[in-house]
Amino acid sequence: KLYITLLLASASFTSYCQSYDTYLSQMRDDADNIFIGTVKEVTYRANEKNMPLSTVTFRNIEAAQNKNGTLELQYAGGVINNKTIRVTHTPSLEPNARYLIFSHDKDRGEMNPLLGHKAMYRIVKDANTSDEYLMLDGHFVTGINGDRIQLSTRKALSIANGIATIDESRNPHEFMQYARAT
């Protein structure tokens, strides 16, 4: 009985991971917006059900795909009456930071406009050159393999002259993670 329960739990988890982890080519096809932009501001408001919503506006936008004409992200969670409410898997965008984003349009009314957790790449500049790099959850993009972007095995703190400063507090044996590439 325990074996069957574990098998069902494993199958459910695997199914969840497979449906959550889409190919970037699929994200490209499903996205209303694919763009690079710098976060101008993040504002908060409550909707009609008193749920806090965050709205992110961008500046310096370079759009690769914009099906509906708007480039604002709106998602559940935010700050209302000095109380912060975070919703799992919603983005956390920092003002003045640049991002490459694959998203649905805000008019869809979804809790999270991103197309999975691999749909928001932070763009960081080399400390000593004008080169720019993509990061996903602290991991630098290191190459492309078919429909996947390969990421550094360990998180990086910064990059200078093309060399990353590695976060040594992380487990050096963590597995290579993959995002998807177009």
Side-chain angles (χ1 to χ4, degrees):
K1 188 174 182 178
L2 177 61
Y3 176 75
I4 292 173
T5 303
L6 290 174
L7 183 63
L8 288 173
S10 174
S12 296
F13 180 73
T14 301
S15 174
Y16 168 77
C17 289
Q18 288 173 347
S19 65
Y20 186 74
D21 186 25
T22 58
Y23 284 95
L24 198 58
S25 58
Q26 181 182 353
M27 288 194 316
R28 177 199 62 217
D29 295 342
D30 292 345
D32 294 321
N33 302 309
I34 303 170
F35 66 97
I36 292 173
T38 303
V39 175
K40 179 180 176 183
E41 67 179 341
V42 181
T43 57
Y44 309 104
R45 68 175 180 83
N47 67 8
E48 61 279 352
K49 296 179 182 175
N50 213 25
M51 170 70 171
L53 297 175
S54 297
T55 301
V56 181
T57 55
F58 293 88
R59 59 184 165 82
N60 303 328
I61 296 169
E62 302 169 43
Q65 180 169 295
N66 186 348
K67 293 179 182 174
N68 297 326
T70 62
L71 286 178
E72 278 187 345
L73 294 184
Q74 184 172 289
Y75 51 89
V79 180
I80 300 292
N81 298 327
N82 294 323
K83 294 180 183 177
T84 301
I85 296 177
R86 295 262 316 146
V87 177
T88 304
H89 300 298
T90 56
S92 180
L93 297 149
E94 297 177 30
N96 300 314
R98 282 182 77 210
Y99 297 92
L100 166 62
I101 294 178
F102 294 77
S103 70
H104 285 240
D105 195 70
K106 72 175 187 164
D107 295 334
R108 287 189 184 208
E110 296 178 358
M111 297 273 288
N112 183 357
L114 297 182
L115 292 137
H117 79 284
K118 295 179 181 176
M120 182 180 80
Y121 295 85
R122 185 167 182 161
I123 300 171
V124 295
K125 282 194 177 209
D126 189 300
N128 296 327
T129 70
S130 60
D131 294 333
E132 293 181 317
Y133 298 86
L134 292 176
M135 290 182 73
L136 177 67
D137 298 329
H139 297 268
F140 279 100
V141 172
T142 60
I144 298 174
N145 182 6
D147 198 27
R148 294 179 180 229
I149 293 177
Q150 294 177 326
L151 301 174
S152 60
T153 56
R154 297 194 301 178
K155 288 190 175 190
L157 300 172
S158 63
I159 191 161
N161 298 317
I163 301 170
T165 301
I166 302 300
D167 183 354
E168 297 294 338
S169 67
R170 304 284 299 178
N171 179 356
H173 302 292
E174 68 185 339
F175 294 102
M176 174 69 77
Q177 296 181 359
Y178 292 96
R180 313 297 186 245
T182 54

